[in-house]
Amino acid sequence: MCFLSHKDLCFLRQLFHASDGGTIALDWLTSSDISRGAFEVNHSISKEDTTPLVVVIPGLTSDSTSSYIKHLAFGLAKHGWNVVVSNHRGLGGVSITSDCFYNAGWTEDARVVIDYLHHQYPKAPLFAIGTSIGANILVKYLGEDREKVPVAGAVAICSPWDLLVSALSIPKSSY
């Protein structure tokens, strides 16, 4: 079943339910989906799979429909990685199902998704990529959990290092 289709790209959607009732859309693109043309995405990976797995945490208001996320996911899958985009609560076409929203300081969703992926696919090396606000969330999570983090590597792309300065630099006319 294909959730999202854009030219040669489809994601397979998995709804992940957090313990507080929140819903996070996990959109999957596997390396075998790309090798098969990504027109019929119904491939799931087994617990025994050793293909590297990367979770992508998008930026503010971005999700798996964002061009840069699709481009990143496609490039990773094309080079032999399995990819899952962890869409923020309320994004990617999923309704808010709890009274908790995502923000730049909220690391719990990244924590529970990464922990879930680590336990579901224990033989696959797990990596994480965060972009923009997603990078801020990822770096904060890595600092909070330090050696307990089950990832082999992580990348932060365009992280807003000083959120206050970043917020003040947004022109008031843009809201």
Side-chain angles (χ1 to χ4, degrees):
M1 164 137 210
C2 179
F3 161 71
L4 171 70
S5 183
H6 175 73
K7 296 183 183 177
D8 294 11
L9 184 61
C10 283
F11 288 102
L12 179 66
R13 171 144 296 173
Q14 173 190 358
L15 295 178
F16 177 84
H17 300 285
S19 62
D20 69 347
T23 304
I24 302 164
L26 300 179
D27 289 340
W28 289 85
L29 185 66
T30 67
S31 61
S32 63
D33 293 332
I34 295 301
S35 66
R36 286 188 272 159
F39 292 111
E40 291 183 33
V41 177
N42 57 15
H43 177 261
S44 59
I45 58 176
S46 76
K47 286 187 176 265
E48 303 302 312
D49 198 330
T50 59
T51 305
L53 174 60
V54 63
V55 60
V56 177
I57 305 169
L60 183 67
T61 73
S62 296
D63 57 35
S64 58
T65 64
S66 301
S67 294
Y68 79 97
I69 296 294
K70 290 188 283 188
H71 182 76
L72 177 62
F74 180 80
L76 289 163
K78 186 176 177 182
H79 285 93
W81 295 61
N82 291 326
V83 182
V84 58
V85 179
S86 180
N87 296 289
H88 299 292
R89 294 172 185 228
L91 296 178
V94 177
S95 298
I96 300 288
T97 57
S98 73
D99 59 358
C100 185
F101 299 96
Y102 84 95
N103 63 61
W106 176 255
T107 58
E108 188 59 22
D109 286 349
R111 182 177 292 105
V112 297
V113 167
I114 288 171
D115 188 53
Y116 165 77
L117 294 170
H118 174 66
H119 285 95
Q120 284 295 117
Y121 310 101
K123 295 187 177 184
L126 181 59
F127 297 84
I129 299 173
T131 63
S132 191
I133 290 298
N136 192 84
I137 293 167
L138 177 60
V139 169
K140 187 172 185 283
Y141 157 69
L142 295 171
E144 289 171 350
D145 287 21
R146 300 175 187 230
E147 58 278 338
K148 295 186 296 186
V149 175
V151 297
V155 176
I157 302 171
C158 296
S159 182
W161 296 110
D162 189 326
L163 292 173
L164 179 59
V165 170
S166 297
L168 294 174
S169 68
I170 298 172
K172 298 292 183 207
S173 62
S174 68
Y175 333 136

